[in-house]
Amino acid sequence: MNNFHKFKSIFIVIISIIIIVGCAYFKSFKEGLTNNDTIVLIGDSVLNNSNYVPAGKSVVDVLKTKTQNVFNFAKDGATISDCYGQLDKIPTDLNTTETYVFISAGGNDILNKRGQLTSAEIRKLFNDYMDFVKALRVKLGSAKINILNLYMPANPRYQSYKSSIDQWNQLIKEYSSKIGEMYTVVGLDGLLTSPNDFVYDIEPSETASEKIANVIYLTQ
């Protein structure tokens, strides 16, 4: 009888440990990336907005309160062509299934045209973007690639860009479904909608930093 009770106690302890570990894992999975995952940021000021917010309030700063495995290669003002230089700086040892790459590009290319682009011009820029994504996939074949679409600034002065941004976001969505698992779309267009999300009319604010960092961290 004593042996039975001893076995029963050990069994209960083992089951309890399994349940606790399982719950902890499930909680971590639901809450976002794990401590073993690495975040790589490529692109423009949407991901590197440190020039526009108080110290410690950028997207990168907020991300680092959640995980220390953050590699930021994004630069303020970067265009699609600038992303190749950022790609060159990424260590090859980040080519793992635990690496999550987030790209924000195209917005400055559209803004630099200073006016409404034709459908053909948007498609040409988009094709350039996809060429970069393919180059990224060659270097980081095991990583999970995530593309941030473009948000619409709240200030009405940017209304003339709406059709270009809408077409751009539609192309990102359509192309993702055509090529399968090459990348996942992260929608900023429905996330940054309030005037409080912007500083200098168009740059992500302190509030936006929280939103962008959270959607990145919760990406699976």
Side-chain angles (χ1 to χ4, degrees), residues 35-53:
N35 289 332
N36 293 324
D37 294 321
T38 298
I39 296 172
V40 174
L41 305 179
I42 299 175
D44 52 32
S45 60
V46 173
L47 293 174
N48 187 352
N49 61 332
S50 58
N51 288 337
Y52 306 102
V53 295

Side-chain angles (χ1 to χ4, degrees), residues 157-168:
R157 64 180 288 211
Y158 292 98
Q159 191 65 29
S160 61
Y161 293 96
K162 187 177 187 308
S163 61
S164 295
I165 290 174
D166 287 345
Q167 183 185 352
W168 181 268

Side-chain angles (χ1 to χ4, degrees), residues 24-126:
Y25 175 80
F26 181 74
K27 183 175 184 289
S28 173
F29 179 81
K30 294 299 288 182
E31 286 184 348
L33 306 183
T34 69
N35 289 332
N36 293 324
D37 294 321
T38 298
I39 296 172
V40 174
L41 305 179
I42 299 175
D44 52 32
S45 60
V46 173
L47 293 174
N48 187 352
N49 61 332
S50 58
N51 288 337
Y52 306 102
V53 295
K57 301 297 183 180
S58 70
V59 172
V60 175
D61 293 323
V62 177
L63 276 173
K64 287 185 175 180
T65 66
K66 305 173 185 296
T67 176
Q68 289 300 305
N69 301 329
V70 180
F71 291 80
N72 176 36
F73 301 97
K75 297 292 183 182
D76 183 18
T79 61
I80 294 169
S81 62
D82 294 328
C83 290
Y84 285 94
Q86 298 175 21
L87 177 59
D88 290 340
K89 297 177 182 178
I90 299 176
T92 54
D93 60 4
L94 292 182
N95 183 25
T96 74
T97 56
E98 295 176 331
T99 294
Y100 289 73
V101 182
F102 293 85
I103 317 168
S104 172
N108 287 322
D109 296 83
I110 292 174
L111 287 174
N112 289 344
K113 298 294 183 180
R114 300 188 181 281
Q116 185 172 347
L117 279 70
T118 66
S119 178
E121 288 173 324
I122 288 292
R123 189 170 289 275
K124 169 63 170 60
L125 281 177
F126 181 77

Side-chain angles (χ1 to χ4, degrees), residues 113-161:
K113 298 294 183 180
R114 300 188 181 281
Q116 185 172 347
L117 279 70
T118 66
S119 178
E121 288 173 324
I122 288 292
R123 189 170 289 275
K124 169 63 170 60
L125 281 177
F126 181 77
N127 289 339
D128 292 341
Y129 192 17
M130 288 301 102
D131 286 342
F132 168 73
V133 174
K134 291 171 185 175
L136 172 62
R137 176 54 77 196
V138 170
K139 182 169 184 177
L140 300 178
S142 298
K144 298 173 180 66
I145 298 177
N146 303 270
I147 290 182
L148 281 63
N149 69 8
L150 299 182
Y151 54 76
M152 186 66 201
N155 192 312
R157 64 180 288 211
Y158 292 98
Q159 191 65 29
S160 61
Y161 293 96

Side-chain angles (χ1 to χ4, degrees), residues 3 10 16 171 176 185 187 193 210-212 219:
N3 288 339
I10 294 173
S16 299
L171 285 170
S176 175
V185 180
T193 57
E210 292 281 349
K211 292 182 178 181
I212 295 171
T219 295

